[in-house]
Amino acid sequence: MSSRSASVRKTKQTARIVIIGAGVSGIAAATRLLEQGFKNVRLLEAENRVGGRINTVPFGDSVIDKGAQWCHGESGNVVYQRVKDLNLLDRTGDALKAVHFVRSNKEILPAETAYVLGAAAEMALPTGPNESNGSLGDHLTNNYWHILAKSPAVDRTVAQEMLETMKKLRCSFTASDHLFEVSRRAHLEFEKSDGEFLLNWRDKGYRTFLKLLMNAKPEQPEDLGVLNGRVQLSKRLTEINWAGADELLLRCWDGEVLTADHVICTVSLGVLKERHEQLFVPALPAPKVRAIKGLKLGTVNKFFLEYAAMPWPQDWVGINFLWLEADLEELRGTERFWLESVFGFHRVMHQPRLLQGWIIGEHARHMETLTEEEVVNGLQWFFRKFLPFDMPQPLNIVRTQWHSNPNFRGSYSSRTTYTDELRTGPWDLETPLLDAGGRPRVQFAGEATHKTHHSCVHGATETGWREADRLNDYYNSRNAS
């Protein structure tokens, strides 16, 4: 049977749509499709839960977010626009801004020195189109020293330590191993939403937004609202076969074979990198493969430490760590080498007994392979090395392991200088696989497919809506012709 005869027969009521992945982009696509009148929508999720890289779990006095945590910005942020009148978000404001910078000899940087160096690092970021080539690391480094040459006299050794710490902080924004792989052009093209940058979800977590999308009961954790009965959990795919002219075949790890008229693939870029050659039959087109290879899914992990009471002095809200070169050289020769990439800890909003820390890149991936006891012992050594006060043993710890999980293989995406060399980007990852008549067969959504809001929940949400709208437009235009 021809593709044309098959597509003519299908309507919004009969088209079988399978969404791979029940993260926020998959949920956004599914709920939008149902709103648009599609009837046969189902989601296959490899994990035993919905949410993807939104993962709110009980810890401490309420909950923590192991994945997405902040609503970044207001203007142009669809998450904020959806919840702004519901009293769900809290403005972090200046609550976490009074950060102490501590060197590995326990010396606390004077506030004035920290301000001058921090401001120089911020001013060193590219701002205009004439600064769009090369790496963000090169640009930041060169501009930083150029700015400091005009600033009041600062200790160059301390300035270098601060630069390294600020680079790690900036890497946490892009999930990069180092800034010399980050595309300067991508930094400029990323659209930052104006307004409060760190909106927190009080004591409810980011799952609140998922519940809203699904119109689910907030007090019932298992309720999926309009998606009840449409989500299959622990359903991992081995093959998406789009070879035929008519329906697609989906093979699952448990042996089940499903058929569909349309597939919306929302798996992470990390999964595509690891499995696209086995997952798609026939192979994906060259531009799509180039995008998968060229874009990066990096690793940012978190530590949440629970104490009987807050162990920090009352006026300490956050700490960034500066390594003396001699101490760093010594550290690198030990089994605690991974601590080099732990760049900061801070208090947790609405959780007065918790501290949260951050680790990036290759060392974050290594940390995932350690036992929990080794992680705690490492962090305790780290605190003794830096802090001018004693830190008790934490009562409990949660550390994230986003790279080790085969259903993610990382945290969030970025464009690298290699991406630019290949002349590819999210636009190639987004491009759907169509049949000869223009019918969408396999579509792609997820944060890595967003041109200007990659790495963000609001970007991922928009891509789910984008692909739902693509299908809706196809059926509407065909029915109108």
Side-chain angles (χ1 to χ4, degrees):
M1 181 180 294
S2 72
S3 166
R4 176 172 173 76
S5 61
S7 65
V8 167
R9 196 178 64 234
K10 295 296 179 182
T11 66
K12 286 186 181 183
Q13 286 69 41
T14 61
R16 299 162 299 168
I17 304 166
V18 175
I19 299 171
I20 312 302
V24 68
S25 58
I27 289 172
T31 52
R32 176 70 68 98
L33 286 166
L34 292 173
E35 290 169 5
Q36 291 167 336
F38 290 89
K39 301 299 183 186
N40 196 334
V41 179
R42 65 194 297 191
L43 298 93
L44 307 181
E45 170 54 54
E47 292 279 292
N48 61 359
R49 59 176 181 83
V50 301
R53 282 168 278 173
I54 293 177
N55 188 9
T56 305
V57 299
F59 189 70
D61 298 322
S62 54
V63 297
I64 55 173
D65 278 307
K66 297 174 74 173
Q69 178 172 349
W70 311 100
C71 177
H72 289 305
E74 302 170 38
S75 172
N77 183 329
V78 296
V79 174
Y80 177 78
Q81 296 302 321
R82 183 70 177 263
V83 306
K84 65 180 180 179
D85 298 323
L86 302 178
N87 197 32
L88 295 171
L89 291 170
D90 183 32
R91 296 178 181 278
T92 303
D94 295 333
L96 297 179
K97 287 186 178 178
V99 175
H100 287 74
F101 291 85
V102 184
R103 304 176 75 200
S104 56
N105 61 0
K106 295 184 171 60
E107 177 188 340
I108 303 169
L109 252 59
E112 183 178 350
T113 302
Y115 175 79
V116 169
L117 297 178
E122 191 66 29
M123 291 166 57
L125 293 168
T127 57
N130 60 326
E131 302 173 321
S132 63
N133 294 320
S135 78
L136 185 58
D138 284 326
H139 186 99
L140 177 63
T141 302
N142 294 336
N143 273 14
Y144 177 78
W145 291 116
H146 182 71
I147 292 166
L148 286 184
K150 305 173 185 176
S151 299
V154 293
D155 185 319
R156 190 174 177 89
T157 299
V158 174
Q160 179 63 42
E161 294 167 6
M162 175 66 92
L163 175 61
E164 294 307 314
T165 295
M166 298 309 285
K167 284 179 183 175
K168 294 172 192 171
L169 174 62
R170 182 57 57 174
C171 282
S172 72
F173 294 3
T174 54
S176 48
D177 288 9
H178 54 80
L179 290 187
F180 297 100
E181 68 177 356
V182 179
S183 164
R184 193 178 343 186
R185 181 181 296 120
H187 172 81
L188 290 167
E189 293 177 0
F190 185 91
E191 291 182 3
K192 185 177 177 181
S193 299
D194 293 334
E196 170 69 50
F197 185 64
L198 297 179
L199 290 156
N200 67 77
W201 295 91
R202 294 196 168 96
D203 57 353
K204 304 300 183 187
Y206 224 128
R207 69 182 176 194
T208 307
F209 180 64
L210 297 178
K211 289 283 190 179
L212 275 173
L213 284 179
M214 298 184 293
N215 196 24
K217 297 180 178 66
E219 68 281 0
Q220 297 182 18
E222 303 306 314
D223 182 45
L224 302 181
V226 298
L227 298 186
N228 279 326
R230 296 183 181 275
V231 181
Q232 288 181 267
L233 300 176
S234 303
K235 202 71 171 176
R236 195 176 179 195
L237 284 184
T238 59
E239 184 180 295
I240 300 172
N241 191 314
W242 57 291
D246 193 357
E247 61 188 15
L248 297 99
L249 294 178
L250 306 177
R251 301 183 188 278
C252 304
W253 276 58
D254 60 9
E256 185 176 4
V257 180
L258 307 171
T259 55
D261 299 301
H262 308 280
V263 167
I264 301 177
C265 180
T266 76
V267 302
S268 80
L269 175 62
V271 171
L272 290 176
K273 281 179 174 292
E274 184 174 81
R275 299 193 51 226
H276 77 87
E277 291 180 342
Q278 297 80 35
L279 189 58
F280 291 92
V281 178
L284 292 171
K288 181 80 65 184
V289 173
R290 194 161 56 243
I292 292 170
K293 289 181 177 179
L295 292 165
K296 181 183 177 70
L297 193 81
T299 307
V300 178
N301 278 315
K302 307 178 187 181
F303 309 101
F304 291 95
L305 306 178
E306 179 187 9
Y307 298 91
M310 173 53 62
W312 285 2
Q314 188 172 351
D315 60 341
W316 287 55
V317 298
I319 305 173
N320 283 345
F321 303 98
L322 279 60
W323 280 98
L324 276 68
E325 185 61 32
D327 289 340
L328 195 54
E329 288 298 321
E330 183 179 346
L331 176 79
R332 288 169 175 164
T334 73
E335 63 183 11
R336 296 184 294 269
F337 67 91
W338 56 275
L339 291 164
E340 177 179 352
S341 294
V342 178
F343 63 87
F345 266 83
H346 58 79
R347 295 175 185 250
V348 178
M349 302 300 292
H350 303 281
Q351 284 264 42
R353 298 187 298 110
L354 300 193
L355 290 174
Q356 178 178 347
W358 300 83
I359 183 172
I360 59 162
E362 183 181 357
H363 293 149
R365 293 188 286 275
H366 175 79
M367 180 278 299
E368 295 185 20
T369 69
L370 303 177
T371 66
E372 201 168 275
E373 182 181 14
E374 288 172 321
V375 172
V376 171
N377 289 341
L379 291 175
Q380 288 298 100
W381 178 92
F382 184 75
F383 291 147
R384 289 193 299 271
K385 179 71 175 171
F386 277 89
L387 299 184
F389 48 83
D390 292 333
M391 287 286 289
Q393 194 84 357
L395 301 177
N396 294 295
I397 181 175
V398 167
R399 51 83 183 261
T400 61
Q401 295 168 289
W402 287 107
H403 182 264
S404 300
N405 189 321
N407 298 322
F408 299 103
R409 292 300 188 212
S411 304
Y412 37 91
S413 71
S414 65
R415 285 165 56 188
T416 67
T417 52
Y418 181 52
T419 319
D420 292 344
E421 287 174 17
L422 293 180
R423 299 183 181 277
T424 188
W427 47 90
D428 286 329
L429 191 59
E430 166 197 341
T431 304
L433 307 179
L434 308 176
D435 69 7
R439 176 171 61 114
R441 305 200 69 215
V442 183
Q443 298 163 250
F444 295 83
E447 55 86 14
T449 71
H450 202 295
K451 299 178 184 71
T452 56
H453 288 152
H454 50 82
S455 79
C456 298
V457 173
H458 55 279
T461 303
E462 286 181 338
T463 68
W465 289 342
R466 179 193 70 210
E467 296 311 314
D469 291 346
R470 192 191 304 274
L471 266 187
N472 189 51
D473 290 346
Y474 168 75
Y475 277 93
N476 286 347
S477 64
R478 197 195 57 185
N479 291 337
S481 60

